């Protein structure tokens, strides 16, 4: 079992739909990162959160430390949101190095 | 300001040759990380540097892989006697420090193809 699991692996949506991507982890963490990987391969850090909720534009990330679960939401999705979304955690036993989920491939159709 | 840069952006090499990949972190960032992403797979940790501390090399897949960092600046990842399974995108990231809560900023990656 992976220490970080994401679901779904693939997600196809119509423009305007509300998107939810989930991340579960099995060990203690101090913070969780959501990353976006563009089709060309570049990675951008979207959020780093350790509790509650953060919002940036149409993106919202939530985390429940007790339940070891985080969600990334995209409101009013747009084709330019199409990318791979990756959940990553610095496991407490491994310092600050990140352990990554397998990623969720999101495709938003016009 | 400038982000993390990596060079080359693409590298094609023949099996058995050595390659060097370079990473320039964001100025002032003391922590530097190397990750690898093989085709169709997730990211995996290779090595990280924090200031003058001994690097965490626990992710290096074999002794053919090594990395160096000059102070708190440039890092080079060297792969000796490359194999086809080394083909991947090699990503470098840096952060202000090696705190678990620090944001890591990623470079564009080097796509390595071993023929």
């Amino acid at each position: 079992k992976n220490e970080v699991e994401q679901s779904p692996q693939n997600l196809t949506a119509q423009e305007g739909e509300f998107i939810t991507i989930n991340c579960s982890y099995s060990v203690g963490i101090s913070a969780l990162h959501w990353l976006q990987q563009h089709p060309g391969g570049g990675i951008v850090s979207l959020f780093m959160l350790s509790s509650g909720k953060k919002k940036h534009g149409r993106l919202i990330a939530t985390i429940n430390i007790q339940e070891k679960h985080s969600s990334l939401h995209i409101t009013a999705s747009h084709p330019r949101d199409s990318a791979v979304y990756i959940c990553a955690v610095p496991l407490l036993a491994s310092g600050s190095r990140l352990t990554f989920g397998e990623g969720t491939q999101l495709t938003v159709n016009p | 300001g400038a982000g993390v840069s990596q060079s080359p952006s693409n590298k094609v090499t023949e099996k058995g040759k050595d390659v060097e990949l370079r990473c320039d972190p964001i100025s002032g960032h003391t922590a530097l990380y190397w990750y690898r992403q093989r085709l169709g797979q997730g990211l995996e940790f290779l090595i990280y540097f924090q200031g003058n501390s001994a690097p965490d090399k626990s992710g290096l897949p074999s002794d053919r892989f090594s990395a160096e960092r000059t102070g708190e600046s440039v890092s080079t990842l060297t792969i000796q006697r490359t194999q086809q399974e080394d083909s991947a995108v090699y990503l470098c990231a840096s952060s202000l420090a090696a705190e678990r809560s620090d944001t890591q900023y990623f470079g564009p990656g080097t796509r390595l193809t071993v023929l």
Side-chain angles (χ1 to χ4, degrees), chain A:
Chain A
K1 183 175 169 26
N2 292 335
E3 291 161 316
V4 183
E5 293 197 334
Q6 286 185 236
S7 62
Q9 271 191 313
N10 291 282
L11 181 55
T12 300
Q14 288 300 122
E15 184 173 356
E17 284 185 7
F18 181 82
I19 305 291
T20 295
I21 299 170
N22 295 300
C23 176
S24 297
Y25 50 93
S26 57
V27 294
I29 67 168
S30 58
L32 181 143
H33 301 251
W34 280 103
L35 310 171
Q36 180 191 53
Q37 186 168 30
H38 300 293
I43 292 179
V44 173
S45 180
L46 298 175
F47 295 103
M48 192 275 298
L49 68 165
S50 54
S51 66
K53 178 167 105 172
K54 284 191 175 179
K55 185 176 189 291
H56 184 238
R58 295 180 293 105
L59 301 177
I60 303 167
T62 63
I63 189 168
N64 185 317
I65 293 289
Q66 287 74 30
E67 294 186 5
K68 295 186 167 61
H69 181 269
S70 175
S71 293
L72 176 69
H73 306 284
I74 305 175
T75 62
S77 58
H78 190 276
R80 65 174 173 266
D81 298 326
S82 298
V84 176
Y85 292 84
I86 303 167
C87 168
V89 299
L91 300 178
L92 287 176
S94 60
S96 59
R97 53 180 265 200
L98 293 177
T99 297
F100 300 87
E102 292 295 314
T104 295
Q105 172 70 63
L106 172 65
T107 303
V108 182
N109 294 317

Side-chain angles (χ1 to χ4, degrees), chain A residues 30-31 33 35 37 40-43 45 48 86 90-92 94-98 100-102, chain B residues 33 35 37 41-45 48 56 58 91 98-104 106-108 111:
Chain A
S30 58
H33 301 251
L35 310 171
Q37 186 168 30
I43 292 179
S45 180
M48 192 275 298
I86 303 167
L91 300 178
L92 287 176
S94 60
S96 59
R97 53 180 265 200
L98 293 177
F100 300 87
E102 292 295 314
Chain B
Y33 307 80
Y35 299 99
Q37 186 174 35
Q41 298 188 22
L43 286 147
E44 53 180 327
F45 165 79
Y48 95 86
D56 176 352
S58 57
L91 289 152
E99 300 298 326
R100 296 188 189 99
S101 57
D102 282 336
T103 297
Q104 294 185 21
F106 285 80
R111 185 176 298 275

